[in-house]
Amino acid sequence: MKIAVLGGGNGSFAAAGDFALSGHEVRLWRRDAGLVEAHRAAGSRILVKDHNGRHDVKLAKVTNDIAEAINGAELILCPAPAFAQQDIARLLAPHLRDGQVVFLPPATFGSMIFAQAARDAGNRAQASFAETGTLPWLTRKHGSFEVAITIRAKRLPVGVFPLNQASHALEVIGRAFPDAIEPCGDALSGALMNAGPIIHPPLIVMNAGPIEHFERWDIHKEGTQAAIRRVTDALDAERIAVREVLGYSAPHFPLAHHYAKEGEIWMYGRGSHDRLTDSGDWRERIVLTEHRYMREDLRLGLSLLVSVAGLAGVGTPLAKAFLAIGGAICGEDFAQGGRTLETLGLGKFHKAELQTLLREGF
């Protein structure tokens, strides 16, 4: 399959390398022309390290021309942070063609940003947009063209916009992720599966002291203590309550299953938390005011949850509290702006109207 991967971060390199390792024709798009030239000079290769060893793979193309990257691609995967989505969506929008699938893992309801950008660009191609609950790889770059994959996702709940194109979208995505895709309904359902806004805000806010004291700190190892886990579960209960009131059915992929030794298998499978901490790759420096855990997961992710909860009539005291504390840490008012139904242009929709839009598209 021809796949275009957008971005140059951990997730994009894991995607490009892993897809090439699986035999797909992969084109990697990056905005920075200098970095593209350097990658080409290195042979357009990525060194993928996983539990099976080291794999030197070659990409079909590395480019900073997004039209060239996606030309003929069946799947366009963009694992860039949510705060980068608007710029990328505007660049991508004029070039989408019928049948192409844009997959955002995860997205914080970013599927709507990409769909709206195509509409605003006057592009009427029958493309579809999808998002899931987590990045399909636990991964970190180890060099300019080297990426370590600790775990590959086992279960990916995927929501599609518009829902009436889900059959095609899921078939295309499923060829890239064999036996891992689980339909979960529309794009908002997919957005409400996002684990980042649940796991990361308690870990960075409740570990703010050691994060700023130590040069490097593993929020998933020493930072994941029983008190924090109880808060995480309570925050996750707010997410699940919103899903239930909006009529989305189980499984809701509660984050508690990520840590459990038995019971239902979570997105990354059994034992993923231990493998993550054993890798040592998450013992890292986190600048609280800048890191994507704050800027993407807390500010954007929780503002979306609070906004959708308002539509559903569900209380979210913990989500609001973390927004307030995160904003105080950054010296900003996170209650203003963020990613909400209003900032997405959906603030005037009633529940039934929004569900119709999600089902049928623009």
Side-chain angles (χ1 to χ4, degrees):
M1 179 164 59
K2 294 181 179 180
I3 301 176
V5 177
L6 310 183
N10 298 312
S12 298
F13 265 63
D18 210 27
F19 289 148
L21 187 60
S22 297
H24 298 290
E25 179 183 317
V26 182
R27 303 173 199 158
L28 177 65
W29 171 83
R30 305 183 71 175
R31 278 183 277 200
D32 191 307
L35 293 175
V36 167
E37 286 305 316
H39 201 164
R40 287 174 175 171
S44 299
R45 311 189 77 84
I46 292 178
L47 179 64
V48 179
K49 300 189 296 186
D50 62 12
H51 68 281
N52 287 323
R54 301 162 65 90
H55 318 275
D56 185 13
V57 298
K58 183 174 176 60
L59 307 182
K61 188 177 292 292
V62 180
T63 180
N64 66 332
D65 183 336
I66 202 165
E68 180 182 39
I70 73 163
N71 182 37
E74 295 175 79
L75 178 65
I76 301 164
L77 186 132
C78 181
F83 48 72
Q85 289 169 346
Q86 289 184 323
D87 288 344
I88 296 174
R90 282 194 292 267
L91 292 171
L92 178 68
H95 308 294
L96 289 171
R97 297 293 179 261
D98 286 345
Q100 289 187 310
V101 179
V102 179
F103 187 37
L104 310 165
T108 319
F109 214 17
S111 50
M112 297 304 299
I113 290 175
F114 279 78
Q116 288 169 334
R119 180 195 60 178
D120 293 345
N123 188 339
R124 298 296 181 260
Q126 292 295 306
S128 50
F129 308 84
E131 56 187 280
T132 186
T134 192
L135 189 68
W137 307 268
L138 284 176
T139 183
R140 284 291 187 270
K141 290 173 71 175
H142 281 185
S144 297
F145 316 116
E146 183 176 321
V147 66
I149 296 176
T150 302
I151 291 177
R152 294 171 174 86
K154 304 296 189 296
R155 302 176 68 193
L156 290 170
V158 177
V160 178
F161 178 84
L163 185 59
N164 60 16
Q165 294 184 28
S167 178
H168 169 71
L170 293 167
E171 187 275 329
V172 171
I173 298 169
R175 280 189 276 138
F177 299 96
D179 303 317
I181 300 304
E182 297 189 23
C184 71
D186 60 39
L188 181 55
S189 176
L192 290 172
M193 289 293 194
N194 192 351
I198 306 303
I199 190 171
H200 292 135
L203 288 178
I204 62 170
V205 169
M206 298 177 74
N207 284 290
I211 285 172
E212 292 198 331
H213 176 74
F214 295 105
E215 180 63 25
R216 297 179 183 277
W217 178 258
D218 191 335
I219 59 173
H220 297 287
K221 196 176 182 77
E222 296 89 350
T224 301
Q225 301 299 328
I228 297 176
R229 283 283 301 107
R230 290 194 292 271
V231 173
T232 303
D233 286 345
L235 179 60
D236 205 24
E238 294 180 357
R239 175 190 70 89
I240 293 172
V242 173
R243 287 185 53 80
E244 290 175 338
V245 170
L246 291 177
Y248 298 124
S249 59
H252 300 297
F253 287 82
L255 190 61
H257 291 166
H258 170 54
Y259 300 96
K261 303 295 184 185
E262 56 186 25
E264 187 175 347
I265 294 175
W266 197 67
M267 299 184 204
Y268 288 128
R270 188 82 68 229
S272 56
H273 176 73
D274 292 339
R275 290 170 63 186
L276 181 153
T277 55
D278 289 346
S279 74
D281 280 346
W282 279 260
R283 184 170 300 282
E284 55 192 346
R285 174 168 168 74
I286 296 175
V287 179
L288 283 173
T289 57
E290 301 172 4
H291 201 279
R292 71 170 186 84
Y293 293 161
M294 179 72 77
R295 293 292 171 182
E296 177 181 23
D297 293 328
L298 195 154
R299 183 171 187 266
L300 298 185
L302 290 186
S303 62
L304 177 68
L305 178 60
V306 168
S307 176
V308 177
L311 177 69
V314 174
T316 51
L318 274 173
K320 290 178 179 178
F322 280 116
L323 279 170
I325 298 171
I329 289 172
C330 295
E332 301 174 29
D333 184 358
F334 281 3
Q336 300 299 315
R339 181 164 295 180
T340 65
L341 294 175
E342 289 73 18
T343 60
L344 289 169
L346 305 173
K348 296 182 179 179
F349 283 74
H350 297 296
K351 177 182 171 182
E353 294 170 328
L354 180 59
Q355 289 173 329
T356 298
L357 172 67
L358 293 171
R359 183 174 62 252
E360 299 177 5
F362 296 112

